[in-house]
Amino acid sequence: MVTVDRTRGQRVFRAVNAVILTGVVVVTLYPFINIVARSLSDEFAIRAGKVNLVPVGFTFRTYEFVASDPTFWINYRNTVVYTVVATAIAMVMTTCYAYVLSKKHLKGRTFLIGIAVFTMFFSGGLVPNYILISSLGLKDSIWAIVLPNAVSVFNLLVMKAFFEGMPAELEEAAAIDGMSTYGILLRIVLPLSKAVLATMVLFYAVSFWNSWFAAFLYMSQNDLFPVTVYLRNLIAGATTGTSVGADATDMTVATNIKSVTMVLTVIPILVVYPFLQRYFVKGVMLGAVKG
C-alpha cells in the first residue's frame, strides 16, 4: 500500500474543509431535528421553550389528531396521484422538447429556445391564467395542476445541455444501422441519460408534491385538494382558533401543528431520494465511445 505524504498546506486545507462541511451538515440537520422533536413534544414544553433536539413530554397526539380525519387520507392520495401523473407528463414533454432543441441542425432552433427562455422572465399574470384555466374547463380537475406546469424551462435547459454533450457518433452509428429517430431516443439516448432523468424526476416530483397554490386557486372541493392544501388549512385553523376536519374545541395541537405539517410533508421525499441519489454521481457515459 502506497502512502502519500501531504504537505502542510494540504493538511490544513483538508482540516478546514472538514470543519466547514461539518458546519454545513450541522446547520442543515439542526432545524430538521428540532422540527421532528417539536412534533413529538407536549405543547406546554414547546411553549416553555424546553424543546431543542430531544422531544419533551413525548406524545403522538398531534399525529393522531391529523391522521384521524378521513379527509387527510383522501387528500394524501390526491397528492400521490397528482405528483405521479404530473411528473410523468412533465418528463415526457421536457425530454422530447430538450432532445429536439439539442439538435443544432434543427431549423428554427434559436426561435424555439427563445420562446422557452422568454417564459422564464415573463408570464401572463395570475388573473389571465385563472381566466384561461376557467375558460378551458380545467377547474376542479387534475389538469389545472398538471398542464400549466408541465414544462420547467430550467429543467428543459439542463436536459438540453446534457443531450448536447452526448457523443454524436452514438446516434450516427444507430442511424446507419437503420434505427429511427424515436428508436435512437428510446434505445440509445435515454438509457445513457439515467443521471439527468433521475435528477429531473426528483426536481419535478418535489415541485409538484410541495405545490399548493395552484390547487388552492383552481380547486373548490375539499375532496380534490392535495395534502399540502389540507395542512395549510389546518395550520390556518389552528392559528385562528378553528380546526379543519376535527373537533374545533380541541386546540391542544395548535402549538406543534406546524412541525407535524412539515414532517408529514417531507417524509415521502426523504423516502424517495435515496433511490435516485445514486444516479447523480454515476459516470453514465464512461466507456460509451471507444477510440
Side-chain angles (χ1 to χ4, degrees), residues 13 21 32 61 164 177 263:
F13 175 77
L21 292 178
F32 180 74
R61 182 168 185 176
E164 287 177 340
D177 290 338
V263 173

Side-chain angles (χ1 to χ4, degrees), residues 43-109:
E43 60 154 342
F44 300 106
I46 298 175
R47 289 178 178 176
K50 298 179 180 179
V51 181
N52 192 7
L53 298 178
V54 179
V56 178
F58 190 89
T59 178
F60 281 106
R61 182 168 185 176
T62 308
Y63 285 96
E64 295 172 354
F65 174 82
V66 175
S68 63
D69 184 7
T71 305
F72 171 79
W73 296 108
I74 295 175
N75 293 161
Y76 216 97
R77 180 201 62 195
N78 292 342
T79 300
V80 174
V81 173
Y82 295 165
T83 301
V84 171
V85 174
T87 301
I89 292 177
M91 285 302 300
V92 171
M93 297 186 67
T94 303
T95 301
C96 293
Y97 197 2
Y99 182 67
V100 168
L101 294 181
S102 68
K103 304 307 172 186
K104 296 183 179 180
H105 61 270
L106 175 69
K107 293 182 179 180
R109 176 174 179 266

Side-chain angles (χ1 to χ4, degrees), residues 274-287:
F275 296 98
L276 299 178
Q277 188 270 344
R278 64 190 181 98
Y279 290 106
F280 296 167
V281 294
K282 183 181 294 185
V284 293
M285 296 303 299
L286 184 62

Side-chain angles (χ1 to χ4, degrees), residues 189-267:
V189 176
L190 295 185
L192 293 174
S193 305
K194 291 180 180 179
V196 72
L197 291 176
T199 304
M200 293 301 104
V201 166
L202 185 62
F203 284 175
Y204 274 121
V206 171
S207 175
F208 285 117
W209 183 273
N210 292 331
S211 175
W212 68 272
F213 187 70
F216 183 75
L217 189 64
Y218 301 124
M219 303 290 189
S220 59
Q221 302 178 32
N222 290 338
D223 59 348
L224 295 177
F225 286 155
V227 71
T228 47
V229 175
Y230 172 90
L231 294 176
R232 179 262 173 199
N233 292 339
L234 194 63
I235 292 174
T239 302
T240 59
T242 58
S243 300
V244 177
D247 187 358
T249 62
D250 188 2
M251 293 308 302
T252 60
V253 299
T255 305
N256 58 350
I257 188 69
K258 293 182 180 180
S259 300
V260 173
T261 297
M262 296 178 189
V263 173
L264 291 176
T265 302
V266 79
I267 283 177

